[in-house]
Amino acid sequence: MTHTVVVPGSFDPVTLGHLDVIARAAALFDEVVVAVGVNASKRRLFSAEERMDLLRRACADLPSVRVAGFEGLVTGFCAEIGAQAIVKGLRTAQDYEYELPMAHMNTRLTGVTTLFLPTSPEHAFVSSSLVKEVAAFGGDTSAFLPAFVHEALVARLAERSAGGGS
Ligand code: PNS
């Protein structure tokens, strides 16, 4: 039996913390599907296609990892592709408190199990939102992102500020 797990998220954009969790999931399971939430109502810095493209480049050296978009419930996506489990990285106790009710709800909905992987300590404070905030105020975020993601972030923020957008 092939063991397929889903690593869901917004990935706006993918960080080294995400990649740490994805790589460790890839070492444990046959196939990892990185599932990018495509929820049109949420405002993102990068479009769904851009977020998936950055992820594909970032995971290029992990042959058992593929990237897909999903709409609606993550449980529906897991059922559609026959995934046995959802894998989530945990940085802090707050992450656990946020994730636990969702894990229970998802199990209740379709029986899918959520597995929590602790993020490596060096990435425990890294989040896409924090990285975007630091970068927006001119801070150096290159230590937290693959080089091409860092370039894309700096370019997107420059475009936004030149265009007068937020
Ligand atoms: O990186 P994020 O923002 O924490 O990712 C959030 C995401 C996309 C994983 C989450 O919002 C999600 O799973 N959305 C789909 C809707 C859903 O299934 N919600 C959980 C109900 S218990």
Side-chain angles (χ1 to χ4, degrees):
M1 179 181 176
T2 303
H3 289 103
T4 300
V5 295
V6 165
V7 180
S10 307
F11 304 103
D12 187 38
V14 59
T15 68
L16 294 182
H18 293 131
L19 291 173
D20 168 56
V21 170
I22 293 166
R24 282 190 295 131
L28 292 169
F29 301 99
D30 301 313
E31 186 188 34
V32 174
V33 181
V34 181
V36 179
V38 180
N39 183 345
S41 70
K42 288 208 179 158
R43 214 155 161 266
R44 304 286 185 200
L45 188 59
F46 292 97
S47 70
E49 282 308 321
E50 289 170 332
R51 286 180 276 142
M52 287 194 276
D53 178 57
L54 292 171
L55 267 165
R56 286 193 183 104
R57 290 173 66 188
C59 297
D61 59 343
L62 297 168
S64 62
V65 174
R66 70 181 170 92
V67 177
F70 77 100
E71 273 182 285
L73 293 174
V74 71
T75 48
F77 180 73
C78 291
E80 192 183 307
I81 67 163
Q84 287 83 12
I86 295 168
V87 170
K88 286 275 186 129
L90 288 186
R91 291 163 299 196
T92 60
Q94 283 76 19
D95 277 354
Y96 178 73
E97 288 189 4
Y98 175 73
E99 294 290 347
L100 192 63
M102 290 203 289
H104 287 316
M105 177 60 82
N106 287 334
T107 300
R108 186 66 187 266
L109 289 173
T110 61
V112 71
T113 297
T114 297
L115 301 169
F116 294 126
L117 283 187
T119 305
S120 300
E122 64 266 36
H123 300 123
F125 59 94
V126 178
S127 67
S128 299
S129 51
L130 207 47
V131 164
K132 285 184 284 192
E133 182 171 325
V134 171
F137 287 105
D140 180 8
T141 55
S142 58
F144 315 121
L145 303 166
F148 60 89
V149 176
H150 179 247
E151 280 168 30
L153 176 61
V154 170
R156 176 56 46 87
L157 291 170
E159 275 166 35
R160 290 275 166 111
S161 89
S166 55

